[in-house]
Amino acid sequence: MIYMATRSVAGEKTGLKEIAEAINSPQAFTAKILQNLVKDGLVSSTKGPHGGFCIKRPTAEIFLAEIVASIDGDQLFIGCALGLEKCTEDHPCAVHYKFKAVRDHLTGMLQTTHLEDVSDRVITGLSFLKTGTNKR
Amino acid sequence: MIYMATRSVAGEKTGLKEIAEAINSPQAFTAKILQNLVKDGLVSSTKGPHGGFCIKRPTAEIFLAEIVASIDGDQLFIGCALGLEKCTEDHPCAVHYKFKAVRDHLTGMLQTTHLEDVSDRVITGLSFLKTGTNKR
DNA sequence: ATAAATAAGGATAAAAATATCCTTTAATAT
DNA sequence: ATATTAAAGGATATTTTTATCCTTATTTAT
Ligand code: FES
Ligand code: FES
């Protein structure tokens, strides 16, 4: 998503091969994740020559939480640190009172950081999407 | 560890069966984790009749970070959110600048919360180590 | 129409995490 | 000494996550 955001400024398509290469992730695996993002309406895809993937909405309106939820589900946001079936105030686990603040911090960060925030730093060369040497 | 802390007030041994039951975790699996904790010096064990496990040091001196590190290694503390080989300021990933604060929050919490903190709440019935219904 | 490019989707495969089983070792009690 | 109890440790199994392969469907260009 971040790589596409750096490419989708005008709405160009980006091919699977190029995306996988850019983030140093296996093609077939990357394809599955992209399929998921398409299914969830975050990304549009077109087949055929010059086909590829493209972020559907303005990157300033897509928050990281939405992407994480699409790929990994919601356990990161609502799961119990000690693995209890569910995290509640009624029956809190032994670390709930300490953990909740951290989890909320993470959730808050993901809900307030949008793709543009993040991709801008990649575009300006301040941060990266893969290891420098590309030898991973 | 938290369950043992609630039991080890005076230094009593606690058997594997009892621990596994108390935290609703499979015995054999729990045994492997205990072996690891013994190896890392957090827990002592004795075989034979009336044998069992016992926390080695005062629970007020054992911080959660030490336990997590023993069981899961240090990736939680130093790993990159986007999966880059390593997390550095030199070659930060696209979310490093946002993620670091959250990770440091988690690390800080684990480094400042000791077992006694946590087990006291279990002893007083404010928090729990397994699901209420025990039907997990 | 036909060929070429590219994503979609289903079926496996490999790797990692989680879990079990069984034998061995050490401690205690008789 | 012997029997019993309980952890240690090695081998194996299951499940989940990660990854690959191959066929099908769709779009574009000729
Ligand atoms: S109950 Fe465990 S984190 Fe809330
Ligand atoms: S480089 Fe990714 S979190 Fe620091």
Side-chain angles (χ1 to χ4, degrees), chain A residues 6-27:
Chain A
T6 69
R7 289 270 352 244
S8 291
V9 187
E12 307 101 89
K13 307 266 166 34
T14 311
L16 166 64
K17 204 171 307 181
E18 181 184 339
I19 295 170
E21 164 75 12
I23 63 177
N24 202 24
S25 170
Q27 255 188 54

